[in-house]
Amino acid sequence: MIEARIRRQAVLTREAPPELWVILDEAVLRRRIGSGATFAVQLEHLLDVMATRPHVTVQVLPFDQGEHPLLGGSLTVLSLPNGSDVAYMESSHSGELAEAPEAVAAYALAFDHLRAQALPPDQSAEVIRAVMEEPPRDVRLPTRAQRRKVAQVQLQQHAGRRLRRGR
C-alpha cells in the first residue's frame, strides 16, 4: 500500500503534473489521528511542500460554514485524457463511481460550491499553521469501565421508555 501511495504521489512531481485542488474540512485538521509528531509532519508537508507547488491549491472549509452536500465523505472529480470526467464519492464504508455526465456535473457543482465557501489559500495556510502551533490537549477520557456503566444506564433508560409506551 505504501508503494502504491508513493507511485500516486509521483504523479504530482512529474514534468506535466495534473491540477490538484484540495478542500479540507476543518474537522480534518482538528481531529488528530496518530501521534502529535506524525500529525505535525503531515501538516508541515501539506503546507511547505504540496501547497507551494503552482499546480496545487489547498483550501480549508471552516466549521462556521455549517452543513454542506459533501459532509461525511470525500469527492474526487477527475478529468481524463479522453476529455470525459468521472466522479468518485467515498465515505467510511463505501465508494461510488459516477460516470454519467449529469451525475458528474452535479458532483462538480457541489465541489464548486465548497470552493466558494472555503477560505482562500492564504487564509487556509494560516489556519493550518495555527493548528500546527496549538499544543495537544490533555483530555482526560473516562475509563472503559466508566463508559460501560454510562452505556448500561442509557440502555436501561431507552428500554424503560419502550416499555412505558407499550412496545
Side-chain angles (χ1 to χ4, degrees):
M1 287 179 63
I2 293 172
E3 289 175 15
R5 286 183 181 208
I6 290 170
R7 282 194 307 273
R8 281 196 308 255
Q9 285 185 9
V11 170
L12 297 173
T13 59
R14 69 183 185 200
E15 189 167 316
E19 186 74 23
L20 176 63
W21 201 302
V22 178
I23 301 171
L24 299 173
D25 193 298
E26 186 176 351
V28 171
L29 302 173
R30 302 287 177 191
R31 183 179 312 276
R32 294 179 185 221
I33 305 294
S35 73
T38 299
F39 190 69
V41 168
Q42 291 171 336
L43 292 180
E44 188 174 345
H45 177 75
L46 178 66
L47 270 185
D48 298 338
V49 177
M50 299 306 297
T52 60
R53 294 182 174 152
H55 61 282
V56 175
T57 303
V58 176
Q59 288 182 273
V60 172
L61 182 68
F63 285 136
D64 65 10
Q65 289 300 315
E67 186 178 359
H68 58 81
L70 299 173
L71 193 63
S74 66
L75 171 67
T76 302
V77 178
L78 298 167
S79 296
L80 303 175
N82 68 5
S84 66
D85 292 335
V86 296
Y88 182 67
M89 181 72 172
E90 185 176 23
S91 68
S92 62
H93 299 293
S94 66
E96 174 191 347
L97 181 66
E99 297 178 87
E102 58 278 354
V104 175
Y107 281 127
L109 181 61
F111 186 78
D112 287 343
H113 283 280
L114 284 185
R115 286 197 291 193
Q117 291 177 294
L119 297 172
D122 58 336
Q123 290 179 8
S124 295
E126 290 174 20
V127 169
I128 295 168
R129 186 86 51 212
V131 168
M132 289 172 61
E133 293 171 1
E134 289 175 0
R137 288 194 233 154
D138 183 22
V139 179
R140 299 202 187 273
L141 297 175
T143 66
R144 184 172 186 199
Q146 290 168 325
R147 292 191 312 262
R148 209 178 215 175
K149 191 174 190 175
V150 168
Q152 287 173 341
V153 169
Q154 289 173 335
L155 285 171
Q156 289 170 354
Q157 289 172 346
H158 181 70
R161 273 195 300 270
R162 281 199 331 250
L163 291 173
R164 285 192 297 275
R165 292 182 185 154
R167 293 186 206 154

